[in-house]
Amino acid sequence: MWKISVKELINEKRKIIEDIYAIDEIELHTGTYKVVNGSFKVKLVLTYADNKILLGGYARGYVERPCDRCLKISEMYIDGIVEAVYTFEKKITHKTEELKDLSNEILITDDIIDLEERIIEGIVSSAPDVFVCSEDCKGLCPYCGADLNEEPDHKCDKMEEKIDPRFEILLKIKHTQEG
């Protein structure tokens, strides 16, 4: 399904693919996560022009990932952007120019283009580094690990024990202001 014939695409000039990309797990830069419903919804548009094949589209879906604040497993939405330029001619660049050139051009060396790599690349590059289950997630108590979302009035006994002696005066001021 994700392999496209170069010759057919040149004849058609344009091809739109809408389908489901089935995958149970995906490895992101923060770990390997289960894909919710085992799939991503994908829409790709391939266009042949100026002796190049242009690819654009998206891959959307959810993965199960622990919240970075409270560690509860939640569903993280990924809206992956899929894009590439396939070319028949290798562009000659000097080493100093390689870093400046971010054109994402891929040399066509076969009669078939495998789009699966571009889909995965779009998902991985669009996944956030930090994920929270909700904007108002309070996270965990840094002293005892209690979930502050479940215990909003949590007062940790261990907090008093771990106060740096140099900051005790600040704690006294805080207690004085609280009454």
Side-chain angles (χ1 to χ4, degrees), residues 116-148:
E116 187 172 8
E117 290 178 16
R118 301 293 75 79
I119 293 168
I120 292 171
E121 178 182 273
I123 293 168
V124 171
S125 65
S126 298
D129 292 331
V130 177
F131 169 68
V132 290
C133 58
S134 67
E135 287 184 30
D136 60 341
C137 178
K138 294 176 177 52
L140 302 175
C141 173
Y143 301 101
C144 69
D147 188 340
L148 301 176

Side-chain angles (χ1 to χ4, degrees), residues 33-49:
Y33 304 106
K34 180 181 178 224
V35 177
V36 176
N37 298 325
S39 65
F40 282 86
K41 181 181 178 186
V42 176
K43 181 176 183 180
L44 302 174
V45 178
L46 293 123
T47 306
Y48 175 72

Side-chain angles (χ1 to χ4, degrees), residues 52-114:
K52 294 181 180 185
I53 296 173
L54 309 173
L55 168 65
Y58 62 79
R60 296 176 178 154
Y62 291 88
V63 297
E64 290 182 351
R65 179 177 170 185
C67 172
D68 286 332
R69 288 186 190 159
C70 69
L71 302 178
K72 283 190 180 166
I73 298 294
S74 302
E75 290 184 358
M76 177 179 74
Y77 179 67
I78 298 178
D79 188 2
I81 298 170
V82 180
E83 57 186 8
V85 176
Y86 293 91
T87 182
F88 295 96
E89 302 167 3
K90 183 170 174 123
K91 189 166 43 169
I92 299 171
T93 57
H94 298 285
K95 286 211 180 240
T96 56
E97 295 174 0
E98 284 181 17
L99 292 175
K100 295 177 187 173
D101 183 22
L102 300 175
S103 60
N104 195 19
E105 288 191 2
I106 300 163
L107 183 64
I108 298 172
T109 58
D110 200 359
D111 293 338
I112 302 291
I113 295 175
D114 189 355

